Amino acid sequence: MSRVVYVNGDYLPEGEAKISIFDRGFLMADGVYEVTTVIDGKLIDFDGHFNRLERSLNELDIVNPMDREEWLDVHRQLAAQNAVEQGMIYLQVTRGAPGDRDFIFPDPETTTPTVVLFTQSNPALVDSPKAKKGIKVVTIDDIRWGRRDIKTVQLLYPSMGKMMAIKQGADDAWMVQDGAVTEGTSNNAYIIKDGRIVTRALSNDILHGITRAAVLRFAREAQMPVEERSFTVEEAKSADEAFVTSASTFVMPVVQIDGVTLGEGVPGPMALRLREIYIEESRKAAI
Ligand code: PMP
């Protein structure tokens, strides 16, 4: 069945949606995105994603084309029109399509942002077979740019990183800068040692995960100690547990790093407990 998607104010069958070949998102990766999860047909952490979208746009001098209520309405309409019970809503805003290709930003008075949203259903989000087994990661150099806090659509290197992992028989890659783990290709990275959760502190080196913020809050509320600091690959390999977080994977246990098995090689109790709490609390707060 064809999806209904949103393009610049219109709801259309996906096959009829069109954007210009001059769009700066297409030519220059000049755009930002967000992914909001849907559970029980409702949005998880909508305000976190909206606020980060505003911040990303601000950092790039792109005017937010809609206010909170308008964004919320489009999200809800798409989830409803596509009957998404579990899955995600992808949104992308680019600087728009001036008539020519030029490195200079177009005048925002005459070139308005392009807005695209679509849904992806995934009935196995909550009851994920991967979360029961845990995932394997390999480490790769973090050669991305210096503003990883802006959620831009420049995803070529993360995508290549994922392929490097798959070629080595793993599921994902953790990126490493100066010996310390920054984050996963599309998630934030954590280790647990002696009951303490360790994850890199917020800076321009990593994306400020919306799931990260929620999970750290729930961890602290559950009296699990949290240290926001860098950790090395060696430290990670000798950890008791590890996991990653993102909007679409929630808390995903990691059981192997560069071929080294953590603990018993099965998801650890703290990671599984955090996954449970995250899903339960997020469901309660969904809108
Ligand atoms: N880091 C990177 C590089 C990501 O791409 C993502 C997911 N888009 C995350 C972290 C996790 O962010 P969130 O929890 O907001 O999905």
Side-chain angles (χ1 to χ4, degrees), residues 1-5 14 35-41 78-90 118-126 248:
M1 200 185 80
S2 158
R3 272 172 295 198
V4 174
V5 303
E14 62 185 56
V35 176
T36 303
T37 290
V38 177
I39 306 183
D40 311 323
L78 277 186
Q81 289 196 36
N82 293 292
V84 182
E85 266 302 299
Q86 259 185 65
M88 61 97 166
I89 300 178
Y90 175 91
F118 58 83
T119 58
Q120 278 182 202
S121 279
N122 181 354
L125 275 191
V126 170
S248 51

mmCIF file of all heavy atoms in Angstrom, residues 1-5 14 35-41 78-90 118-126 248:
data_model
loop_
_atom_site.group_PDB
_atom_site.id
_atom_site.type_symbol
_atom_site.label_atom_id
_atom_site.label_comp_id
_atom_site.label_asym_id
_atom_site.label_seq_id
_atom_site.Cartn_x
_atom_site.Cartn_y
_atom_site.Cartn_z
ATOM 1 N N MET A 1 0.836 -1.197 0.000
ATOM 2 C CA MET A 1 0.000 0.000 0.000
ATOM 3 C C MET A 1 0.876 1.254 0.000
ATOM 4 O O MET A 1 1.850 1.334 0.736
ATOM 5 C CB MET A 1 -0.902 -0.005 1.240
ATOM 6 C CG MET A 1 -2.120 0.889 1.102
ATOM 7 S SD MET A 1 -3.078 0.960 2.649
ATOM 8 C CE MET A 1 -2.134 2.127 3.602
ATOM 9 N N SER A 2 0.519 2.188 -0.843
ATOM 10 C CA SER A 2 1.314 3.409 -0.955
ATOM 11 C C SER A 2 1.091 4.296 0.271
ATOM 12 O O SER A 2 -0.022 4.434 0.759
ATOM 13 C CB SER A 2 0.899 4.133 -2.237
ATOM 14 O OG SER A 2 1.231 5.487 -2.155
ATOM 15 N N ARG A 3 2.180 4.877 0.752
ATOM 16 C CA ARG A 3 2.072 5.761 1.905
ATOM 17 C C ARG A 3 1.575 7.144 1.500
ATOM 18 O O ARG A 3 1.781 7.576 0.367
ATOM 19 C CB ARG A 3 3.464 5.988 2.512
ATOM 20 C CG ARG A 3 3.875 5.015 3.520
ATOM 21 C CD ARG A 3 5.317 5.255 3.878
ATOM 22 N NE ARG A 3 6.189 4.989 2.741
ATOM 23 C CZ ARG A 3 7.505 4.784 2.844
ATOM 24 N NH1 ARG A 3 8.086 4.849 4.022
ATOM 25 N NH2 ARG A 3 8.221 4.545 1.784
ATOM 26 N N VAL A 4 1.025 7.839 2.481
ATOM 27 C CA VAL A 4 0.768 9.266 2.304
ATOM 28 C C VAL A 4 1.956 9.997 2.922
ATOM 29 O O VAL A 4 2.340 9.703 4.059
ATOM 30 C CB VAL A 4 -0.538 9.689 3.011
ATOM 31 C CG1 VAL A 4 -0.716 11.196 2.952
ATOM 32 C CG2 VAL A 4 -1.719 8.968 2.383
ATOM 33 N N VAL A 5 2.556 10.910 2.177
ATOM 34 C CA VAL A 5 3.696 11.677 2.676
ATOM 35 C C VAL A 5 3.347 13.158 2.649
ATOM 36 O O VAL A 5 2.344 13.553 2.046
ATOM 37 C CB VAL A 5 4.964 11.400 1.835
ATOM 38 C CG1 VAL A 5 5.300 9.917 1.833
ATOM 39 C CG2 VAL A 5 4.826 11.929 0.406
ATOM 40 N N GLU A 14 2.936 8.722 -1.962
ATOM 41 C CA GLU A 14 4.406 8.858 -2.081
ATOM 42 C C GLU A 14 4.883 8.972 -3.532
ATOM 43 O O GLU A 14 5.852 9.670 -3.812
ATOM 44 C CB GLU A 14 5.113 7.707 -1.359
ATOM 45 C CG GLU A 14 4.795 6.332 -1.924
ATOM 46 C CD GLU A 14 5.419 5.194 -1.110
ATOM 47 O OE1 GLU A 14 5.163 5.118 0.093
ATOM 48 O OE2 GLU A 14 6.142 4.390 -1.701
ATOM 49 N N VAL A 35 13.894 12.211 13.730
ATOM 50 C CA VAL A 35 13.154 10.950 13.661
ATOM 51 C C VAL A 35 12.407 10.800 14.983
ATOM 52 O O VAL A 35 13.027 10.744 16.042
ATOM 53 C CB VAL A 35 14.110 9.753 13.467
ATOM 54 C CG1 VAL A 35 13.325 8.438 13.504
ATOM 55 C CG2 VAL A 35 14.891 9.876 12.167
ATOM 56 N N THR A 36 11.095 10.786 14.908
ATOM 57 C CA THR A 36 10.286 10.642 16.117
ATOM 58 C C THR A 36 9.596 9.280 16.087
ATOM 59 O O THR A 36 9.013 8.904 15.072
ATOM 60 C CB THR A 36 9.243 11.780 16.204
ATOM 61 O OG1 THR A 36 9.944 13.023 16.157
ATOM 62 C CG2 THR A 36 8.429 11.703 17.487
ATOM 63 N N THR A 37 9.691 8.582 17.196
ATOM 64 C CA THR A 37 9.112 7.238 17.257
ATOM 65 C C THR A 37 7.622 7.292 17.589
ATOM 66 O O THR A 37 7.176 8.179 18.319
ATOM 67 C CB THR A 37 9.893 6.405 18.288
ATOM 68 O OG1 THR A 37 11.175 6.160 17.742
ATOM 69 C CG2 THR A 37 9.226 5.071 18.590
ATOM 70 N N VAL A 38 6.896 6.339 17.034
ATOM 71 C CA VAL A 38 5.475 6.183 17.316
ATOM 72 C C VAL A 38 5.285 4.836 18.015
ATOM 73 O O VAL A 38 5.766 3.806 17.526
ATOM 74 C CB VAL A 38 4.659 6.183 15.999
ATOM 75 C CG1 VAL A 38 3.182 5.936 16.271
ATOM 76 C CG2 VAL A 38 4.869 7.482 15.235
ATOM 77 N N ILE A 39 4.638 4.882 19.176
ATOM 78 C CA ILE A 39 4.213 3.631 19.838
ATOM 79 C C ILE A 39 2.741 3.809 20.191
ATOM 80 O O ILE A 39 2.334 4.901 20.625
ATOM 81 C CB ILE A 39 5.006 3.334 21.138
ATOM 82 C CG1 ILE A 39 6.512 3.334 20.899
ATOM 83 C CG2 ILE A 39 4.600 1.976 21.719
ATOM 84 C CD1 ILE A 39 7.331 2.978 22.150
ATOM 85 N N ASP A 40 1.948 2.770 20.010
ATOM 86 C CA ASP A 40 0.501 2.825 20.248
ATOM 87 C C ASP A 40 -0.127 3.970 19.450
ATOM 88 O O ASP A 40 -1.078 4.612 19.921
ATOM 89 C CB ASP A 40 0.189 3.025 21.751
ATOM 90 C CG ASP A 40 0.943 2.066 22.647
ATOM 91 O OD1 ASP A 40 1.116 0.893 22.245
ATOM 92 O OD2 ASP A 40 1.368 2.478 23.748
ATOM 93 N N GLY A 41 0.441 4.285 18.285
ATOM 94 C CA GLY A 41 -0.073 5.378 17.458
ATOM 95 C C GLY A 41 0.235 6.765 17.989
ATOM 96 O O GLY A 41 -0.250 7.761 17.466
ATOM 97 N N LEU A 78 0.005 12.334 9.757
ATOM 98 C CA LEU A 78 0.705 11.285 8.999
ATOM 99 C C LEU A 78 0.597 9.933 9.698
ATOM 100 O O LEU A 78 0.391 8.908 9.046
ATOM 101 C CB LEU A 78 2.182 11.643 8.802
ATOM 102 C CG LEU A 78 2.506 12.582 7.643
ATOM 103 C CD1 LEU A 78 4.004 12.704 7.498
ATOM 104 C CD2 LEU A 78 1.880 12.113 6.331
ATOM 105 N N ALA A 79 0.748 9.942 11.027
ATOM 106 C CA ALA A 79 0.632 8.676 11.766
ATOM 107 C C ALA A 79 -0.764 8.097 11.552
ATOM 108 O O ALA A 79 -0.921 6.900 11.293
ATOM 109 C CB ALA A 79 0.912 8.900 13.249
ATOM 110 N N ALA A 80 -1.787 8.952 11.619
ATOM 111 C CA ALA A 80 -3.165 8.483 11.476
ATOM 112 C C ALA A 80 -3.448 8.031 10.042
ATOM 113 O O ALA A 80 -3.965 6.934 9.821
ATOM 114 C CB ALA A 80 -4.130 9.596 11.889
ATOM 115 N N GLN A 81 -3.077 8.865 9.065
ATOM 116 C CA GLN A 81 -3.398 8.527 7.666
ATOM 117 C C GLN A 81 -2.698 7.254 7.209
ATOM 118 O O GLN A 81 -3.184 6.562 6.317
ATOM 119 C CB GLN A 81 -3.010 9.680 6.741
ATOM 120 C CG GLN A 81 -3.926 10.883 6.894
ATOM 121 C CD GLN A 81 -3.792 11.852 5.721
ATOM 122 O OE1 GLN A 81 -3.602 11.456 4.588
ATOM 123 N NE2 GLN A 81 -3.881 13.136 6.029
ATOM 124 N N ASN A 82 -1.536 6.952 7.803
ATOM 125 C CA ASN A 82 -0.810 5.741 7.411
ATOM 126 C C ASN A 82 -1.007 4.599 8.411
ATOM 127 O O ASN A 82 -0.338 3.569 8.321
ATOM 128 C CB ASN A 82 0.676 6.051 7.239
ATOM 129 C CG ASN A 82 0.920 6.969 6.051
ATOM 130 O OD1 ASN A 82 0.731 6.568 4.909
ATOM 131 N ND2 ASN A 82 1.293 8.214 6.324
ATOM 132 N N ALA A 83 -1.906 4.816 9.367
ATOM 133 C CA ALA A 83 -2.226 3.811 10.382
ATOM 134 C C ALA A 83 -0.968 3.233 11.035
ATOM 135 O O ALA A 83 -0.809 2.022 11.170
ATOM 136 C CB ALA A 83 -3.068 2.685 9.768
ATOM 137 N N VAL A 84 -0.053 4.133 11.438
ATOM 138 C CA VAL A 84 1.183 3.677 12.083
ATOM 139 C C VAL A 84 0.904 3.423 13.563
ATOM 140 O O VAL A 84 0.580 4.344 14.311
ATOM 141 C CB VAL A 84 2.324 4.719 11.956
ATOM 142 C CG1 VAL A 84 3.603 4.190 12.593
ATOM 143 C CG2 VAL A 84 2.554 5.096 10.505
ATOM 144 N N GLU A 85 1.022 2.174 13.976
ATOM 145 C CA GLU A 85 0.870 1.824 15.389
ATOM 146 C C GLU A 85 2.230 1.853 16.073
ATOM 147 O O GLU A 85 2.402 2.402 17.149
ATOM 148 C CB GLU A 85 0.262 0.414 15.506
ATOM 149 C CG GLU A 85 -1.237 0.401 15.656
ATOM 150 C CD GLU A 85 -1.704 1.190 16.882
ATOM 151 O OE1 GLU A 85 -1.312 0.812 18.004
ATOM 152 O OE2 GLU A 85 -2.435 2.189 16.724
ATOM 153 N N GLN A 86 3.225 1.238 15.402
ATOM 154 C CA GLN A 86 4.620 1.276 15.864
ATOM 155 C C GLN A 86 5.481 1.606 14.666
ATOM 156 O O GLN A 86 5.335 0.995 13.605
ATOM 157 C CB GLN A 86 5.037 -0.090 16.399
ATOM 158 C CG GLN A 86 5.015 -0.191 17.901
ATOM 159 C CD GLN A 86 5.561 -1.525 18.387
ATOM 160 O OE1 GLN A 86 6.730 -1.834 18.204
ATOM 161 N NE2 GLN A 86 4.708 -2.305 19.015
ATOM 162 N N GLY A 87 6.391 2.548 14.856
ATOM 163 C CA GLY A 87 7.261 2.911 13.738
ATOM 164 C C GLY A 87 7.856 4.275 13.977
ATOM 165 O O GLY A 87 8.065 4.657 15.134
ATOM 166 N N MET A 88 8.111 5.002 12.899
ATOM 167 C CA MET A 88 8.694 6.317 13.091
ATOM 168 C C MET A 88 8.212 7.317 12.050
ATOM 169 O O MET A 88 7.696 6.939 11.007
ATOM 170 C CB MET A 88 10.218 6.205 13.078
ATOM 171 C CG MET A 88 10.788 5.667 11.790
ATOM 172 S SD MET A 88 11.307 7.054 10.788
ATOM 173 C CE MET A 88 12.300 6.274 9.553
ATOM 174 N N ILE A 89 8.382 8.585 12.415
ATOM 175 C CA ILE A 89 8.081 9.665 11.477
ATOM 176 C C ILE A 89 9.392 10.407 11.223
ATOM 177 O O ILE A 89 10.046 10.866 12.162
ATOM 178 C CB ILE A 89 7.009 10.611 12.032
ATOM 179 C CG1 ILE A 89 5.722 9.809 12.286
ATOM 180 C CG2 ILE A 89 6.755 11.763 11.048
ATOM 181 C CD1 ILE A 89 4.600 10.594 12.872
ATOM 182 N N TYR A 90 9.768 10.448 9.955
ATOM 183 C CA TYR A 90 10.999 11.132 9.550
ATOM 184 C C TYR A 90 10.608 12.507 9.044
ATOM 185 O O TYR A 90 9.684 12.634 8.244
ATOM 186 C CB TYR A 90 11.676 10.327 8.434
ATOM 187 C CG TYR A 90 12.907 11.003 7.856
ATOM 188 C CD1 TYR A 90 14.177 10.756 8.370
ATOM 189 C CD2 TYR A 90 12.785 11.888 6.785
ATOM 190 C CE1 TYR A 90 15.296 11.378 7.843
ATOM 191 C CE2 TYR A 90 13.909 12.523 6.256
ATOM 192 C CZ TYR A 90 15.157 12.261 6.788
ATOM 193 O OH TYR A 90 16.261 12.885 6.266
ATOM 194 N N PHE A 118 7.762 11.685 6.154
ATOM 195 C CA PHE A 118 7.144 10.403 5.788
ATOM 196 C C PHE A 118 7.202 9.457 6.979
ATOM 197 O O PHE A 118 7.939 9.715 7.947
ATOM 198 C CB PHE A 118 7.813 9.786 4.545
ATOM 199 C CG PHE A 118 9.298 9.530 4.664
ATOM 200 C CD1 PHE A 118 9.775 8.382 5.267
ATOM 201 C CD2 PHE A 118 10.209 10.454 4.147
ATOM 202 C CE1 PHE A 118 11.141 8.139 5.366
ATOM 203 C CE2 PHE A 118 11.584 10.214 4.244
ATOM 204 C CZ PHE A 118 12.049 9.059 4.849
ATOM 205 N N THR A 119 6.427 8.398 6.890
ATOM 206 C CA THR A 119 6.367 7.432 8.001
ATOM 207 C C THR A 119 7.038 6.115 7.600
ATOM 208 O O THR A 119 7.152 5.812 6.410
ATOM 209 C CB THR A 119 4.902 7.102 8.350
ATOM 210 O OG1 THR A 119 4.266 6.590 7.179
ATOM 211 C CG2 THR A 119 4.148 8.315 8.833
ATOM 212 N N GLN A 120 7.497 5.374 8.572
ATOM 213 C CA GLN A 120 7.939 3.989 8.356
ATOM 214 C C GLN A 120 7.363 3.144 9.490
ATOM 215 O O GLN A 120 7.657 3.414 10.652
ATOM 216 C CB GLN A 120 9.475 3.881 8.357
ATOM 217 C CG GLN A 120 10.072 4.253 7.019
ATOM 218 C CD GLN A 120 11.587 4.121 6.918
ATOM 219 O OE1 GLN A 120 12.181 4.761 6.067
ATOM 220 N NE2 GLN A 120 12.213 3.307 7.760
ATOM 221 N N SER A 121 6.558 2.158 9.122
ATOM 222 C CA SER A 121 6.003 1.274 10.151
ATOM 223 C C SER A 121 7.029 0.221 10.515
ATOM 224 O O SER A 121 7.803 -0.219 9.662
ATOM 225 C CB SER A 121 4.755 0.567 9.623
ATOM 226 O OG SER A 121 3.659 1.433 9.718
ATOM 227 N N ASN A 122 7.050 -0.171 11.783
ATOM 228 C CA ASN A 122 7.918 -1.265 12.216
ATOM 229 C C ASN A 122 7.282 -1.908 13.442
ATOM 230 O O ASN A 122 7.504 -1.467 14.563
ATOM 231 C CB ASN A 122 9.330 -0.749 12.525
ATOM 232 C CG ASN A 122 10.252 -1.874 12.949
ATOM 233 O OD1 ASN A 122 9.810 -3.015 13.126
ATOM 234 N ND2 ASN A 122 11.520 -1.566 13.120
ATOM 235 N N PRO A 123 6.472 -2.948 13.244
ATOM 236 C CA PRO A 123 5.731 -3.537 14.360
ATOM 237 C C PRO A 123 6.626 -4.203 15.408
ATOM 238 O O PRO A 123 6.148 -4.527 16.495
ATOM 239 C CB PRO A 123 4.843 -4.591 13.679
ATOM 240 C CG PRO A 123 5.008 -4.414 12.208
ATOM 241 C CD PRO A 123 6.231 -3.616 11.965
ATOM 242 N N ALA A 124 7.943 -4.368 15.102
ATOM 243 C CA ALA A 124 8.830 -5.067 16.046
ATOM 244 C C ALA A 124 9.715 -4.120 16.852
ATOM 245 O O ALA A 124 10.754 -4.515 17.356
ATOM 246 C CB ALA A 124 9.690 -6.072 15.289
ATOM 247 N N LEU A 125 9.297 -2.854 16.986
ATOM 248 C CA LEU A 125 10.148 -1.900 17.717
ATOM 249 C C LEU A 125 10.264 -2.252 19.195
ATOM 250 O O LEU A 125 11.359 -2.359 19.743
ATOM 251 C CB LEU A 125 9.579 -0.490 17.608
ATOM 252 C CG LEU A 125 9.921 0.369 16.400
ATOM 253 C CD1 LEU A 125 9.458 1.798 16.648
ATOM 254 C CD2 LEU A 125 11.406 0.331 16.098
ATOM 255 N N VAL A 126 9.101 -2.433 19.843
ATOM 256 C CA VAL A 126 9.109 -2.691 21.284
ATOM 257 C C VAL A 126 9.607 -4.104 21.552
ATOM 258 O O VAL A 126 10.511 -4.315 22.363
ATOM 259 C CB VAL A 126 7.693 -2.485 21.878
ATOM 260 C CG1 VAL A 126 7.633 -2.976 23.307
ATOM 261 C CG2 VAL A 126 7.300 -1.007 21.796
ATOM 262 N N SER A 248 14.784 5.155 17.629
ATOM 263 C CA SER A 248 14.131 3.976 17.044
ATOM 264 C C SER A 248 14.598 2.647 17.632
ATOM 265 O O SER A 248 13.963 1.619 17.392
ATOM 266 C CB SER A 248 14.304 3.971 15.526
ATOM 267 O OG SER A 248 15.649 4.153 15.205
#
